[in-house]
Amino acid sequence: MDNLSLNLLIFSPIAASLLFFIPIFRDNEVIIRRFAKTFAGLHFAYAMCFCVFFNSDVSYFDELFLFGQSGIQSLGIRTAFAMDGLSLVMVVLSSFLFFMATIASKTVIRKRHKLYYGLLLALETAVIGVFTSADIFMFFLFWELELIPMYFLISLWGSGNSQKSAMKFLLYTFMGSLFLLIGILLLNYYSDTLNQQMTSLFADINVVDKLPVNIQILISILLMIGFFVKLPIVPLHTWLPNAHCDAPAPISILLAGLLLKMGAYGFIKFNILLLPDAFKIIAPVLIILAVINIIHAGLCAYNQKDIKKIIAYSSISNMGIVMLGLCTNNEQGAVGGIFHMVSHGLICAGLFMIVGIIYGRTKTRDINAISGLASVMPNLAILSVLFSFAAVGVPLLMGFVSEFLTFWGAFNAQYETVIYIPLVVLCALSVLILSTAYMFKFLHKTFFGIIDDSWSILKDISAHEFIILTSIMGVIIFFGIHPMSLVDIIKPFVDIMIESAGI
Amino acid sequence: MANLIFNITLYHYLILALLLFAIGLAGVILSKNILKVLISAEFLLSAVNINFVAFAFFADNVNLTGFIFSIFTVAVGAVELAVAVAIFYLMYKNKKSVDINEYKELKG
Amino acid sequence: MEFFIQNASLIILFPLWISVLIFIGKFAGVLKSKKIVFGLTLLSSIFGLIFSIPLFALIAASSGYVYENTFNFLCVNDFSMELGILLDLTSVFMLLIVYAVTLPVQIYSYSYMKNDDGFIRFFALMNFFTFAMCGLVSSPTLFQTYIFWELVGTSSYLLISFWYKKTAAANAGKKAFVMNRIGDCCLLAGIIISSVILFNFAGLPDLADIPYSSIDRVAACLFTYTSEPIFIILCILLIFGSIAKSAQFPLHTWLADAMEGPTPVSALIHSATMVAAGVFLISRLYPIYYQSVFVMNFILAIGLFTAVITAIFAIVCKDIKRILAYSTSSQLGIMFMALGSGALTGGMVYLASHAFIKSMLFLCAGIIMTLYAGKTSLEIFGGLRRKIPVLAFVFLIGAFALSGILFSGFSAKTLIFHHLLETHSYYIIAVLLIISFMTSFYIFRMYFIVFESSLKNDTSKNLSYAMLIPVIVICFVVLVLGFFLPRMAEIKFEIIPVSVELCAVIFAYICYVKIPKLPKIPVLYNLAYNGFYIDDIYTFAVKHIYGNLCSFANYVDDVVFDGVVVLTVFLAKLNSWFSSKFQTGLVQSYICYSVVIIAMLLTGFCLIYSLVAYFAEV
């Protein structure tokens, strides 16, 4: 439907967050929380409207004329936003996870509520802005914009070494964005349309025919460094365990569920859609990097003493599967990769929520200190078992569909000069065993067995935590049983993607 | 040699200015007393003045720029000296010492 | 009749609905009555049984009739994974076995689990398992079989670690799940490789999900489009899935530990149905394996080896449930061997007869355990024949059937021996005779120790007739099954195996009833008692080799990858430390710096200017 406004979707959260700081707004914690929750719920409902009325023929396009009618003429920058299949899926996921995180913040946040919810909503604008930007400079603007609320959210309300982890996260991502900026500037410089004017709309950048492959590879590598810090790909991933561990639980949900997907989203939009020749050449190397991701993170997760770090490393491993899916040259792998983005977002959200509940009750994250919680928290145990199954890839839950498609597509990947891909993918299949090992070690050590006396007084999960976990699980089961509903939205986009990648 | 003693050329003035400048510089950099630093700075100013006047005097055409500039320099130097002495007096009231090693607030 | 076929998917879905209903009811706190839960479960089992009997009759009568119906589950351009139901002789045969074992076991578990807190959870999980197993046997494609394969594995995990407060049970469940996962990983690799070969190299996208109705074309394509070593590796990957599920060597250690679960679970899952899924898969993919002699010999060798070593473990084992677990492994080894040597019918018939026999034996063991408050060690039992003669009689029937002397076990073994004779595989016949000897020996050892000899510990508990009736029902099935299954018309050769088994019976009688204390062979006894230390080797490997590998990965992560970050931070700090040395706070040093630098700049500038002028002139 053309009546739905993208500008409203993107900028309403930050407008709501600014409302918090009007002096009239009372400083009552309950009112702030309820306002934030209601707003997030309404925003999610609005995003679902986009979903309901989505038609693969029509792609939304909306423009916020910040710099005047035709943008910055000399550089061709326009503040334009668009939404296609992939963006829609990501925006709905973001909306949903922000809603869940807002509800989950009730028990975790104890001080400075106004600032917290204000920053959370500002973060929502930034994240949705990244996913819907139609202009590469807008993309970069929102990419940088999300770092500011995130830094404050981690360092002010986090635990442990949160200031240091937040600083590490910020500086690491900034370093990557530096390369990203250079790449974007180069892209803008080399963009030529028919009327010989620089443009920076995604739709209009046409570099395939004009650029020699060397320059494409150069730009591609520069952009990849930026995205690989976020994705994260193995040499550049060390910010992630610290940031995830020390962030409060709702922020971990958002960090793992959304910010990592931003890296993958940027990778698709820039490297695959805009620079396909370079992508075809580099892709075999990327497949090896993705498999290293999967295996290395899977191995690292096993011996961790901190339960949150186990889930953090499992995030890295799963994003390796996403990367593997995206680097294959066929529709099945790409659909599998994008499906896994959604499924990992949801599963990871649930797992971090569970770990957050455990930490909130037992005040410790040491895996050797907690045991036998299933005796006092049976509902949480049931949900944890379900989420562990989802993380491992048991059928009838979302993880299986995406992993199967990804591995099938990866095995089917065809690059002319490369014959080792099947062997490498076979190594990647060991993720089934690796993920079972660490996931079930975590599950059994924390939940099963004999309970320690100090934990016998814990209470089971409360109603609203239960609602969050059950709704996330419900979505996972729904898409596990009926994956075609999601695949139908992703597939037109993937068809265009593979076609433009030119196999 | 007699030429050098009895015919005063431009270079004599320049060397004089250089020596004065060197004395002033040595005083500024090496003094332990802040008032000595201030006085040595005046040497620097006077050396520069001599330079300006020398160039103005020994130029081929009459050039008044050097003379006028030296008058300005003298005036500004006097003002600056007054202000500097006032500042140093206030700082001395706080620190009770004229040793320049006490005036290290901007260290680091 | 058409009604049954059109609605056959209800057989699979009805247990799922009941399971979800019970689960949601319990989660929401609504469903609290055990009788209602049991009633719903019985409803689904009876319904399934009533449905599968006419289906079996229909399809067995009109041999060659196949019904298939699928819907699109996942479809991306040419790749499509369809879920549905396939009704041919093998699948309805297995459906009937599943429901025929499930119904008595569920009636038994009502009394067995009556006093347990997790009663409702137990029945929800049993229903879910029934759904998964029925889905597995009626899958039309290999993709769907894999889906239900994993689901069967997860429900087995949930049921083994049912009493999760006991560390041993939880660990047993974890071990079972991880070993099953290893098999699943290899199976998935095999499935994906064959699917991609069919999709890409053979150019047959509609066969890419490996449907069983065109398995011959699939087999022919796979064989022609791959070189011999790749084909063998592919088949071995697929077989590894079956090895993990059916507890064959090298992945056999989980089954013995899985006895931590409740006895109905052992009776249903770990004797009759789930572990039979491995054999079922081999029979489904038989046309693929049949093309390579090496692969058939591989299946044969695995089966024989497992049968021999697990029989040895069973001979010295002291826990009644573990003996039966090792026996299950051994019998499945015999089935593997039968399939590997080409006796497809013989193997499937053996599967059917073993399902009923073993579940009955497990249920008997469960009754004995309830009388002795859950203890399972052979050392406390003795002379139970005088106390519960009915149970002894039933157990005796089961023991005779298992050793292959009488009833259905006899007819099943006959088929296998006959096939081996026809193919002149005398070495295999010799080994099979040894295995039969050992089978009779250990099962009659168990019978003699538990039921004969003098009464050691008396128990005040009484036998519960509600538990005994299902056992008698299955016993009846064991008695008559031999007449319904395909069997040999004439029996000539059978004297030899039967006499071997009877010798074993007499030997066991002498060893365990007549001789007061049997001496233990020094080295071999310890080896066999500890399972050749295979389990310990695996535990050591996991803790030390995998653990060290993970520590190494962590080390690389901390030192190499994080090391770059730490190095950068260190360099930045070094730089700032060095630069801050220049900020002395003394104005004099600042003036000094500026003077020196300006002097250097000016000198340099003049030098360069003059040099340039000089060279320009020249």
Side-chain angles (χ1 to χ4, degrees):
Chain A
M1 263 173 58
D2 296 327
N3 305 341
L4 293 175
S5 160
L6 261 183
N7 283 336
L8 183 64
L9 185 72
I10 301 173
F11 290 103
S12 53
I14 202 165
S17 85
L18 288 174
L19 266 179
F20 275 126
F21 299 104
I22 297 179
I24 309 175
F25 205 96
R26 283 190 283 174
D27 211 347
N28 186 354
E29 171 189 334
V30 177
I31 294 187
I32 297 174
R33 226 169 39 216
R34 286 196 186 150
F35 178 76
K37 270 195 272 199
T38 324
F39 179 79
L42 287 173
H43 190 265
F44 173 57
Y46 189 55
M48 285 301 287
C49 292
F50 276 88
C51 192
V52 164
F53 294 119
F54 182 72
N55 197 346
S56 51
D57 301 328
V58 171
S59 63
Y60 295 100
F61 188 87
D62 211 350
E63 199 159 341
L64 178 78
F65 299 103
L66 264 185
F67 302 122
Q69 198 60 16
S70 46
I72 301 181
Q73 277 278 46
S74 53
L75 294 172
I77 301 178
R78 295 165 62 182
T79 51
F81 302 100
M83 190 185 261
D84 55 12
L86 179 65
S87 304
L88 175 71
V89 167
M90 288 284 109
V91 165
V92 172
L93 179 69
S94 319
S95 229
F96 180 67
L97 284 181
F98 268 98
F99 186 32
M100 293 290 122
T102 319
I103 302 179
S105 309
K106 174 179 173 185
T107 48
V108 181
I109 308 300
R110 297 255 168 256
K111 53 176 179 157
R112 303 172 76 167
H113 299 86
K114 250 200 236 176
L115 187 62
Y116 176 82
Y117 288 102
L119 285 172
L120 200 62
L121 291 174
L123 185 65
E124 184 165 14
T125 297
V127 169
I128 296 188
V130 167
F131 287 135
T132 52
S133 300
D135 180 292
I136 55 178
F137 280 103
M138 281 294 112
F139 178 87
F140 186 73
L141 176 75
F142 283 106
W143 180 275
E144 293 294 290
L145 206 58
E146 51 86 14
L147 287 177
I148 305 173
M150 206 56 176
Y151 170 75
F152 285 114
L153 285 167
I154 298 179
S155 73
L156 287 176
W157 289 274
S159 58
N161 238 344
S162 62
Q163 280 97 352
K164 194 164 149 225
S165 306
M167 187 60 93
K168 187 173 181 178
F169 159 73
L170 186 69
L171 289 176
Y172 217 127
T173 318
F174 253 150
M175 182 211 78
S177 314
L178 176 68
F179 290 95
L180 186 61
L181 179 62
I182 301 177
I184 289 181
L185 286 174
L186 276 175
L187 262 182
N188 193 20
Y189 175 72
Y190 279 111
S191 69
D192 272 323
T193 56
L194 292 172
N195 39 356
Q196 302 301 323
Q197 195 184 24
M198 288 229 275
T199 177
S200 60
L201 283 183
F202 274 111
D204 292 342
I205 293 187
N206 180 14
V207 291
V208 179
D209 302 326
K210 304 289 181 61
L211 276 188
V213 183
N214 305 334
I215 301 188
Q216 276 199 24
I217 294 183
L218 173 69
I219 301 181
S220 198
I221 292 181
L222 286 169
L223 290 172
M224 276 197 303
I225 298 179
F227 294 130
F228 284 174
V229 172
K230 245 339 196 220
L231 232 176
I233 298 289
V234 157
L236 305 168
H237 70 289
T238 47
W239 60 270
L240 195 143
N242 293 347
H244 272 109
C245 274
D246 296 331
I251 304 302
S252 292
I253 295 178
L254 296 173
L255 190 52
L258 294 176
L259 265 60
L260 303 186
K261 314 299 176 288
M262 272 169 38
Y265 176 83
F267 181 76
I268 298 177
K269 276 278 158 95
F270 279 86
N271 275 302
I272 303 183
L273 285 176
L274 292 182
L275 301 166
D277 296 328
F279 176 67
K280 266 195 293 236
I281 297 178
I282 304 182
V285 177
L286 292 179
I287 289 187
I288 295 188
L289 279 180
V291 172
I292 293 178
N293 228 14
I294 297 175
I295 298 181
H296 177 82
L299 288 176
C300 279
Y302 184 72
N303 263 346
Q304 295 297 331
K305 307 255 176 336
D306 187 336
I307 47 180
K308 235 175 173 181
K309 275 215 171 121
I310 298 182
I311 317 290
Y313 276 105
S314 92
S315 283
I316 305 181
S317 196
N318 279 310
M319 289 312 285
I321 300 181
V322 170
M323 188 69 189
L324 184 65
L326 294 176
C327 287
T328 65
N329 232 344
N330 45 27
E331 289 100 351
Q332 289 84 17
V335 168
I338 298 177
F339 202 98
H340 202 71
M341 277 160 76
V342 179
S343 96
H344 170 248
L346 292 169
I347 294 171
C348 209
L351 285 173
F352 273 114
M353 181 83 204
I354 290 171
V355 171
I357 293 175
I358 295 178
Y359 179 62
R361 301 271 201 290
T362 61
K363 300 284 180 281
T364 172
R365 287 202 308 255
D366 185 2
I367 199 173
N368 293 322
I370 312 173
S371 76
L373 290 180
S375 318
V376 284
M377 299 204 274
N379 285 337
L380 185 64
I382 294 177
L383 283 165
S384 307
V385 167
L386 280 174
F387 272 105
S388 302
F389 282 153
V392 159
V394 167
L396 294 192
L397 299 168
M398 265 179 104
F400 169 72
V401 173
S402 49
E403 281 182 13
F404 190 87
L405 265 181
T406 309
F407 286 122
W408 198 95
F411 204 82
N412 205 10
Q414 287 164 334
Y415 293 101
E416 297 98 30
T417 53
V418 179
I419 50 170
Y420 60 73
I421 290 184
L423 290 170
V424 167
V425 175
L426 281 180
C427 296
L429 268 178
S430 61
V431 76
L432 285 172
I433 306 173
L434 295 173
S435 60
T436 317
Y438 62 71
M439 210 66 225
F440 277 77
K441 179 180 177 187
F442 158 68
L443 189 68
H444 278 247
K445 270 242 165 107
T446 51
F447 283 100
F448 296 153
I450 307 173
I451 188 168
D452 202 29
D453 284 327
S454 42
W455 310 133
S456 353
I457 51 168
L458 294 177
K459 285 194 301 204
D460 206 353
I461 49 176
S462 60
H464 82 285
E465 288 165 342
F466 181 77
I467 291 176
I468 301 174
L469 286 172
T470 320
S471 39
I472 300 181
M473 198 70 221
V475 176
I476 295 178
I477 295 179
F478 172 70
F479 281 131
I481 300 180
H482 191 235
M484 282 313 277
S485 46
L486 190 57
V487 170
D488 280 333
I489 304 180
I490 302 177
K491 205 153 74 74
F493 174 78
V494 168
D495 283 334
I496 299 177
M497 184 173 120
I498 300 294
E499 192 186 305
S500 81
I503 35 163
Chain B
M1 199 54 200
N3 227 5
L4 274 175
I5 299 177
F6 291 115
N7 280 343
I8 307 288
T9 58
L10 171 65
Y11 298 104
H12 294 83
Y13 286 102
L14 290 184
I15 294 177
L16 170 66
L18 175 68
L19 290 173
L20 254 175
F21 192 84
I23 295 172
L25 199 57
V28 165
I29 294 180
L30 298 173
S31 310
K32 242 174 85 157
N33 191 329
I34 54 170
L35 287 174
K36 278 196 199 157
V37 171
L38 215 50
I39 294 171
S40 310
E42 288 302 308
F43 272 91
L44 295 175
L45 279 177
S46 65
V48 165
N49 264 339
I50 293 178
N51 242 344
F52 270 116
V53 171
F55 277 119
F57 186 70
F58 284 94
D60 288 335
N61 287 328
V62 170
N63 199 351
L64 286 174
T65 318
F67 301 116
I68 298 174
F69 199 84
S70 75
I71 296 177
F72 271 110
T73 316
V74 168
V76 167
V79 171
E80 165 224 324
L81 193 58
V83 173
V85 170
I87 295 177
F88 280 170
Y89 173 67
L90 287 171
M91 284 175 78
Y92 173 74
K93 272 211 317 198
N94 265 337
K95 290 191 193 307
K96 300 279 185 277
S97 162
V98 287
D99 186 358
I100 202 166
N101 287 322
E102 302 290 324
Y103 291 80
K104 271 206 229 174
E105 266 87 10
L106 289 181
K107 181 175 169 65
Chain C
M1 277 300 148
E2 283 305 307
F3 167 76
F4 286 114
I5 292 188
Q6 293 300 334
N7 295 328
S9 51
L10 279 180
I11 299 185
I12 308 171
L13 290 176
F14 202 52
L16 177 68
W17 295 335
I18 301 281
S19 164
V20 170
L21 190 67
I22 298 177
F23 185 66
I24 293 182
K26 174 177 184 295
F27 217 28
V30 176
L31 194 60
K32 287 201 181 69
S33 158
K34 295 183 179 170
K35 287 199 168 61
I36 296 183
V37 169
F38 179 59
L40 284 173
T41 314
L42 262 191
L43 193 67
S44 78
S45 307
I46 294 177
F47 179 80
L49 196 59
I50 294 178
F51 242 77
S52 28
I53 295 179
L55 270 179
F56 178 69
L58 189 66
I59 294 187
S62 55
S63 56
Y65 178 81
V66 167
Y67 169 76
E68 190 169 343
N69 190 12
T70 56
F71 74 94
N72 218 345
F73 175 69
L74 183 64
C75 166
V76 181
N77 292 359
D78 276 336
F79 169 90
S80 80
M81 184 193 289
E82 294 181 344
L83 296 187
I85 185 166
L86 170 73
L87 295 173
D88 67 350
L89 191 59
T90 328
S91 61
V92 294
F93 181 61
M94 292 293 295
L95 271 178
L96 193 59
I97 296 177
V98 168
Y99 271 111
V101 178
T102 306
L103 188 58
V105 169
Q106 278 172 348
I107 300 177
Y108 176 92
S109 19
Y110 178 72
S111 0
Y112 192 85
M113 304 291 292
K114 208 167 19 171
N115 301 324
D116 198 296
D117 286 331
F119 184 91
I120 303 180
R121 177 167 54 107
F122 183 79
F123 275 96
L125 289 172
M126 287 285 259
N127 275 312
F128 185 73
F129 171 77
T130 315
F131 153 69
M133 193 66 207
C134 293
L136 196 152
V137 299
S138 56
S139 311
T141 64
L142 190 53
F143 281 8
Q144 184 174 339
T145 308
Y146 180 75
I147 291 180
F148 284 104
W149 191 267
E150 287 223 34
L151 282 177
V152 163
T154 53
S155 51
S156 154
Y157 160 76
L158 289 169
L159 281 166
I160 294 175
S161 50
F162 181 72
W163 289 311
Y164 53 82
K165 294 184 190 156
K166 276 183 7 178
T167 323
N171 285 341
K174 186 168 67 156
K175 178 194 266 189
F177 191 66
V178 172
M179 282 197 158
N180 267 314
R181 268 262 140 167
I182 297 178
D184 289 349
C185 177
C186 299
L187 182 61
L188 186 64
I191 293 178
I192 292 186
I193 296 178
S194 15
S195 178
V196 167
I197 291 176
L198 287 165
F199 186 84
N200 250 336
F201 298 126
L204 299 163
D206 49 329
L207 285 186
D209 54 356
I210 312 176
Y212 295 132
S213 43
S214 4
I215 192 75
D216 298 313
R217 278 177 66 203
V218 168
C221 281
L222 278 179
F223 194 62
T224 47
Y225 281 93
T226 54
S227 56
E228 179 87 11
I230 305 266
F231 182 74
I232 292 178
I233 293 179
L234 180 65
C235 291
I236 290 183
L237 282 173
L238 289 168
I239 291 170
F240 246 88
S242 300
I243 289 179
K245 213 36 136 219
S246 296
Q248 303 295 295
F249 178 84
L251 297 168
H252 63 287
T253 49
W254 66 269
L255 191 57
D257 286 342
M259 298 299 118
E260 298 282 345
T263 312
V265 168
S266 312
L268 180 59
I269 299 184
H270 300 121
S271 59
T273 43
M274 184 180 105
V275 291
V279 181
F280 171 75
L281 186 66
I282 293 188
S283 78
R284 277 285 199 217
L285 296 177
Y286 203 66
I288 302 181
Y289 302 144
Y290 197 67
Q291 293 166 113
S292 164
V293 174
F294 183 85
V295 172
M296 298 296 274
N297 285 341
F298 180 74
I299 302 178
L300 184 71
I302 293 270
L304 275 181
F305 190 68
T306 311
V308 170
I309 62 172
T310 46
I312 296 178
F313 299 157
I315 291 179
V316 300
C317 191
K318 283 207 184 128
D319 181 322
I320 49 174
K321 281 181 81 175
R322 278 181 94 104
I323 297 178
L324 293 174
Y326 284 128
S327 162
T328 309
S329 256
S330 186
Q331 301 298 303
L332 287 164
I334 298 181
M335 285 180 231
F336 265 62
M337 179 222 72
L339 286 175
S341 61
L344 187 59
T345 332
M348 297 308 282
V349 166
Y350 202 86
L351 192 153
S353 84
H354 171 259
F356 291 105
I357 299 170
K358 199 42 77 62
S359 55
M360 178 178 77
L361 288 174
F362 264 111
L363 294 180
C364 293
I367 294 181
I368 299 175
M369 276 168 64
T370 52
L371 292 176
Y372 281 88
K375 294 200 188 31
T376 55
S377 170
L378 267 183
E379 285 159 2
I380 61 174
F381 302 129
L384 283 181
R385 182 160 63 94
R386 279 157 213 100
K387 189 154 160 54
I388 357 163
V390 180
L391 196 65
F393 183 62
V394 166
F395 197 93
L396 196 62
I397 295 179
F400 273 123
L402 187 67
S403 11
I405 303 176
L406 294 172
F407 315 126
S408 53
F410 169 72
S411 46
K413 270 220 168 101
T414 324
L415 276 172
I416 299 182
F417 270 115
H418 230 272
H419 181 88
L420 287 175
L421 255 186
E422 275 173 25
T423 54
H424 302 291
S425 357
Y426 296 118
Y427 291 113
I428 302 179
I429 292 184
V431 180
L432 192 56
L433 284 174
I434 297 177
I435 296 174
S436 312
F437 182 85
M438 289 200 281
T439 308
S440 315
F441 187 75
Y442 63 66
I443 198 69
F444 275 98
R445 164 181 179 252
M446 190 169 153
Y447 173 76
F448 287 132
I449 294 185
V450 173
F451 291 102
E452 300 293 333
S453 66
S454 49
L455 191 65
K456 282 206 200 120
N457 298 320
D458 206 350
T459 171
S460 52
K461 298 203 178 138
N462 281 327
L463 183 61
S464 154
Y465 286 99
M467 280 203 266
L468 197 55
I469 295 182
V471 182
I472 297 182
V473 168
I474 303 187
C475 179
F476 182 67
V477 173
V478 168
L479 284 172
V480 301
L481 193 63
F483 299 107
F484 289 105
L485 292 173
R487 60 188 190 279
M488 302 307 302
E490 41 162 54
I491 303 162
K492 275 190 313 205
F493 171 75
E494 281 312 297
I495 308 291
I496 303 183
V498 171
S499 51
V500 164
E501 285 144 14
L502 281 172
C503 282
V505 175
I506 299 173
F507 192 47
Y509 181 73
I510 298 175
C511 286
Y512 291 101
V513 178
K514 288 297 180 194
I515 302 182
K517 193 150 169 68
L518 200 58
K520 302 180 184 170
I521 312 173
V523 175
L524 291 175
Y525 180 80
N526 272 334
L527 265 182
Y529 190 68
N530 290 314
F532 289 171
Y533 298 105
I534 296 180
D535 195 30
D536 298 313
I537 294 176
Y538 287 160
T539 318
F540 175 82
V542 167
K543 221 192 283 197
H544 289 103
I545 299 180
Y546 187 68
N548 282 343
L549 187 62
C550 295
S551 306
F552 176 70
N554 267 323
Y555 176 77
V556 166
D557 207 54
D558 283 334
V559 171
V560 175
F561 299 135
D562 220 12
V564 175
V565 176
V566 170
L567 186 70
T568 318
V569 168
F570 174 72
L571 283 176
K573 281 200 186 144
L574 188 70
N575 185 26
S576 98
W577 170 84
F578 183 66
S579 305
S580 72
K581 289 281 183 213
F582 286 109
Q583 307 293 327
T584 54
L586 284 177
V587 182
Q588 295 175 323
S589 44
Y590 298 155
I591 296 179
C592 188
Y593 298 150
S594 48
V595 165
V596 166
I597 291 176
I598 291 176
M600 286 189 342
L601 278 175
L602 283 176
T603 323
F605 181 68
C606 292
L607 261 177
I608 294 172
Y609 186 71
S610 55
L611 280 173
V612 163
Y614 175 72
F615 282 115
E617 235 176 278
V618 165

